[in-house]
Amino acid sequence: MLKLVRMWLKVPVEERDERGNRRMTGGRSNKRGTPQGGVISPLLANIYMHRFLRYWEQQGCRQKFKARVINYADDFVILSRFKAKEALEWTQRVMAALKLTLNPTKTCIRLAATESFDFLGYTFGPQRDRRTGQQYLAAQPSEKSLRRLKQKLRQVLHPGNLAPWKEVKDQANRILKGWSGYFNYGTKRNAYMGIDQYVAIRVRHLLRRRHKVKSRGTYRFGDERIFGEFGMHRLMNFKPKRSVSLT
């Protein structure tokens, strides 16, 4: 078993740098960390987080810091009432005892009533109701999540894609439906509208090139036709399925 774990930890990984050049990381010379995307990473993360969470409960930190820990794999936030600094200092000491360190670029203290923070692709923080002007705590897709989605769509809906339109449409729709299936919670109207607009522009540009239309194509390839006849998935029309409890 130890040999198998060692092989997982020392597997070489091929990555691409910011310029798109290929590079190899990890391998037999690797002394620290786990390979990016390695199958052993989630298991090890859960083992360490289990130890941390169990000690959190044993030490009565829920009551001591008036706090709760929300975690997914190795990513977590601590929701505390007026004891955030003490909770962070305690966490740093415990992580050091586990021979782990918190990521300094991601570790911070935020006052949720006035400041926002990102977690699992969402941005949590204050927003104002556009109709009443009242402030409320909102959850919405983060800017990073939106950029990633646009990048994926751009790779499919680029003018040089010569695949049949049905294949292009189906591939783009799978991306959109998968993304909206996850980001169907909280305040999402502005994000959905922005993505719909982005999709319409990319599809229109692709179809103009494909059909050799010299104009901007806003009339021939209008939004209603793109999301209707051409079959593109419109996020603003997305309605998540409600779960049904059986008794």
Side-chain angles (χ1 to χ4, degrees):
M1 179 59 71
L2 290 176
K3 181 181 179 181
L4 182 60
V5 172
R6 189 178 297 112
M7 291 172 62
W8 272 328
L9 291 175
K10 292 184 176 293
V11 65
V13 178
E14 181 179 294
E15 299 178 328
R16 291 187 181 273
D17 59 21
E18 297 177 353
R19 298 182 179 179
N21 299 321
R22 294 191 302 177
R23 64 181 180 184
M24 299 298 294
T25 60
R28 295 182 179 179
S29 61
N30 186 42
K31 300 294 184 182
R32 294 184 62 186
T34 60
Q36 182 69 28
V39 295
I40 193 66
S41 298
L43 174 60
L44 293 177
N46 280 312
I47 290 174
Y48 276 95
M49 281 304 300
H50 176 73
R51 295 182 67 187
F52 169 76
L53 294 172
R54 186 173 60 182
Y55 194 59
W56 170 277
E57 293 296 335
Q58 289 175 350
Q59 295 297 304
C61 293
R62 182 193 296 263
Q63 295 77 24
K64 184 188 303 182
F65 303 128
K66 298 180 180 179
R68 292 181 59 189
V69 179
I70 310 297
N71 78 291
Y72 182 84
D74 62 343
D75 203 0
F76 68 96
V77 295
I78 299 177
L79 308 177
S80 173
R81 290 185 179 273
F82 313 114
K83 297 284 186 178
K85 183 178 179 181
E86 293 86 342
L88 175 58
E89 292 173 351
W90 185 91
T91 300
Q92 289 172 330
R93 290 195 301 270
V94 173
M95 288 298 178
L98 293 173
K99 298 183 179 181
L100 298 175
T101 55
L102 299 176
N103 188 331
T105 62
K106 294 182 178 181
T107 304
C108 58
I109 296 178
R110 291 285 185 267
L111 181 60
T114 58
E115 299 174 293
S116 62
F117 64 93
D118 290 352
F119 183 57
L120 301 182
Y122 278 89
T123 294
F124 298 88
Q127 288 288 331
R128 288 197 178 275
D129 191 293
R130 58 190 181 88
R131 294 170 296 180
T132 64
Q134 291 184 337
Q135 182 173 294
Y136 65 99
L137 291 178
Q140 58 189 342
S142 68
E143 290 295 330
K144 187 176 181 180
S145 299
L146 292 172
R147 286 197 301 270
R148 285 180 175 176
L149 175 61
K150 289 180 180 180
Q151 183 179 5
K152 289 182 180 180
L153 291 171
R154 186 164 56 246
Q155 293 174 353
V156 178
L157 301 173
H158 63 88
N161 190 343
L162 302 180
W165 169 248
K166 186 179 185 306
E167 292 182 12
V168 175
K169 174 203 66 173
D170 290 346
Q171 186 177 357
N173 281 345
R174 281 195 296 270
I175 296 173
L176 289 167
K177 291 177 181 179
W179 189 87
S180 59
Y182 179 78
F183 290 102
N184 62 15
Y185 171 79
T187 304
K188 53 190 181 292
R189 176 183 174 84
N190 290 340
Y192 278 18
M193 289 179 63
I195 294 300
D196 283 344
Q197 185 179 22
Y198 180 81
V199 168
I201 292 173
R202 299 298 307 183
V203 170
R204 188 174 297 116
H205 188 39
L206 185 153
L207 294 176
R208 279 179 54 219
R209 291 284 297 273
R210 180 167 293 196
H211 295 277
K212 299 180 180 180
V213 176
K214 296 182 179 180
S215 66
R216 297 174 62 184
T218 53
Y219 177 76
R220 182 170 178 180
F221 304 115
D223 289 5
E224 294 305 318
R225 196 175 178 204
I226 288 173
F227 294 109
E229 179 182 342
F230 285 97
M232 287 304 303
H233 179 67
R234 190 175 227 154
L235 295 186
M236 288 299 293
N237 293 340
F238 174 72
K239 294 182 180 180
K241 295 181 180 179
R242 296 182 178 181
S243 59
V244 179
S245 61
L246 301 177
T247 58

